[in-house]
Amino acid sequence: MIPIPFNRPFATGKEIDYIRAAMAAPKFSGDGPYTAQCHTLLEQSLGIQKVLLTTSCTHALEMAALLLSIGPGDEVIVPAFTFPSTTNAFVLHGARPVFVDIRADTLNIDESQIEQRITPRTKAIFLVHYAGVGCEMETILAVARRHGIAVVEDNAHGLYGRYRGRYLGTLGQLATLSFHETKNFSCGEGGALLINDAEFNQRAEIIREKGTNRSQFFRGEIDKYTWVDVGSSYLPSDLLAAFLRAQLEHRDQIQSMRRKIWETYALELASWAEANGVRLPILPQECEQSYHMFYVIMPSFESRQALISHLAGLGILAVFHYLPLHLSPLGLRFGGHQGDCPVTEDLVDRLLRFPFFTGMSSSEQAQVIDAVRGFHC
Ligand SMILES: Cc1ncc(COP(=O)(O)O)c(C=O)c1O
């Protein structure tokens, strides 16, 4: 019995060649040739006018909050079921999160509850396409337009997922990606800001370069650079971009490997799920997922914990996911109460993610499937 991790980073083999080439260049700080190549690969494959690599999705979210000038007194609508980075981005600048419950089917923000939470202070909606399955964007974009507020897609999970044929990350004014080692495409730690509204282009470059107009200087557009706005250091080294380029140019190979693993789980676990009252992921017709994760919803907290222990006993690491943000220590300080988001509160206790990573072998997956089938609620 071989232990099976929850995630194992994948390399295509080209990463090392590109890193060697990046090291041989006269400079390998940010915005070198590999960063430019990653920008082009993402812009062309997504059909987006501007992409900027960042040091993480967390930092891309912070850039989005700065670009939208979110500050003290502002409110931002977010799902209660997400990673803290989605909220930290604007809480850092003094804004207040307004937590909205999720839909029971996709675990995405419940679009039917957004409008009632909008006040004159609402500045933006930061949403998450959970597991790379799109939120109900038509409704959300219409609500945002009606109230003149921005939409930021935290697309940490969803690169190359689609909603009504359009790529996730191309629908809000701004969107973010993660290239953390647990994501479909990775460079260890990394991210990107996707800019769908060209009005943000120039300021985004400045914010990313410590509040200076250094990007314009490097392009020869000005003869010296200086401090022009607030900002920070959000650009990754070209060494990381070299690694990422190898991953991005193997998009089809990586996505088809992940798709096969996802479909095998769904097929092989269908009867087990039905017999044990377990729910498999639900995909609305208008969504094409990104094959980021495979999760199940167990009948109860107790059965979820028992399955984690059963699998751990067989050397398999299965894990739960986010805890409700409105009930976290900081969420409580923002006025969160038990019962505010009942769907989130229920599902987080029952959700379980199985090992899922590019390069997972058929025998490893068969071991997980056999182990799961050996468990009865
Ligand atoms: C929805 C979501 N947003 C943001 C992040 C943070 O990503 P990063 O580690 O690239 O900062 C995560 C982390 O997994 C996430 O799940």
Side-chain angles (χ1 to χ4, degrees):
M1 188 180 68
I2 312 157
I4 302 187
F6 172 67
N7 179 60
R8 185 189 298 136
F10 174 77
T12 64
K14 289 294 281 181
E15 288 83 353
I16 196 71
D17 298 339
Y18 293 154
I19 286 179
R20 271 205 200 93
M23 284 171 69
K27 72 177 209 102
F28 50 67
S29 53
D31 276 339
Y34 283 100
T35 305
Q37 289 160 26
C38 288
H39 288 168
T40 305
L41 274 164
L42 287 165
E43 283 163 5
Q44 289 182 348
S45 60
L46 294 170
I48 270 189
Q49 61 94 33
K50 190 156 184 80
V51 173
L52 290 171
L53 286 196
T54 57
T55 30
S56 63
C57 182
T58 302
H59 278 166
L61 287 160
E62 284 178 35
M63 284 185 67
L66 282 167
L67 281 167
L68 295 170
S69 303
I70 296 177
D74 291 335
E75 294 175 358
V76 177
I77 290 181
V78 271
F81 183 63
T82 184
F83 196 72
S85 296
T86 323
T87 45
N88 265 330
F90 51 84
V91 167
L92 266 172
H93 301 293
R96 229 177 67 80
V98 174
F99 295 110
V100 170
D101 208 355
I102 54 171
R103 284 166 50 146
D105 57 354
T106 56
L107 280 56
N108 284 331
I109 191 164
D110 184 341
E111 67 281 356
S112 70
Q113 296 189 34
I114 292 178
E115 195 152 24
Q116 70 211 50
R117 310 302 301 277
I118 293 177
T119 73
R121 292 169 183 267
T122 308
K123 201 75 183 264
I125 304 167
F126 276 45
L127 52 79
V128 177
H129 302 299
Y130 187 71
V133 175
C135 294
E136 183 24 53
M137 293 305 290
E138 238 170 46
T139 310
I140 295 170
L141 292 171
V143 169
R145 256 194 311 273
R146 243 188 333 269
H147 294 271
I149 58 180
V151 173
V152 177
E153 302 173 70
D154 176 345
N155 197 27
H157 302 177
L159 179 54
Y160 300 124
R162 294 181 199 239
Y163 168 83
R164 296 194 189 278
R166 293 174 62 190
Y167 283 117
L168 303 181
T170 66
L171 301 148
Q173 280 89 344
L174 297 163
T176 63
L177 298 176
S178 174
F179 300 119
H180 182 262
E181 74 172 16
T182 50
K183 304 304 187 294
N184 296 24
F185 304 90
S186 162
C187 56
E189 298 275 359
L193 179 71
L194 312 183
I195 307 175
N196 296 312
D197 182 343
E199 209 181 288
F200 294 117
N201 286 2
Q202 195 180 353
R203 189 155 181 248
E205 280 187 350
I206 289 167
I207 286 172
R208 179 167 166 270
E209 266 283 23
K210 300 93 179 162
T212 73
N213 49 3
R214 186 152 77 166
S215 301
Q216 277 180 288
F217 172 70
F218 282 147
R219 283 198 299 269
E221 292 166 14
I222 47 176
D223 58 5
K224 54 184 182 303
Y225 72 87
T226 184
W227 184 32
V228 290
D229 202 338
V230 293
S232 191
S233 186
Y234 290 126
L235 69 173
S237 154
D238 217 41
L239 295 172
L240 286 176
F243 193 103
L244 184 63
R245 176 191 155 176
Q247 303 252 314
L248 292 177
E249 70 184 9
H250 286 83
R251 167 190 166 184
D252 291 342
Q253 181 198 344
I254 288 174
Q255 289 301 81
S256 79
M257 286 161 88
R258 298 183 76 93
R259 178 181 179 156
K260 184 161 171 265
I261 297 165
W262 198 99
E263 287 176 348
T264 303
Y265 269 137
L267 184 72
E268 298 292 331
L269 293 179
S271 329
W272 168 81
E274 198 178 342
N276 288 281
V278 175
R279 204 195 87 189
L280 299 184
I282 295 171
L283 276 149
Q285 240 190 348
E286 58 277 13
C287 296
E288 288 166 53
Q289 62 157 321
S290 63
Y291 302 102
H292 175 54
M293 72 170 80
F294 193 90
Y295 70 85
V296 294
I297 305 290
M298 298 297 290
S300 63
F301 172 73
E302 290 72 25
S303 58
R304 197 267 306 265
Q305 297 304 96
L307 179 51
I308 291 176
S309 303
H310 168 79
L311 294 175
L314 296 167
I316 296 166
L317 184 61
V319 295
F320 54 89
H321 211 180
Y322 317 127
L323 297 177
L325 274 188
H326 63 297
L327 300 180
S328 65
L330 193 56
L332 293 174
R333 275 165 46 199
F334 279 111
H337 287 105
Q338 188 80 36
D340 284 350
C341 299
V343 179
T344 303
E345 290 164 30
D346 170 36
L347 293 180
V348 295
D349 278 350
R350 300 196 283 127
L351 183 145
L352 186 58
R353 294 179 292 159
F354 292 147
F356 188 88
F357 46 89
T358 316
M360 184 181 204
S361 69
S362 325
S363 63
E364 284 175 318
Q365 193 177 16
Q367 199 178 311
V368 178
I369 290 166
D370 282 350
V372 173
R373 284 176 175 162
F375 176 86
H376 302 286
C377 296

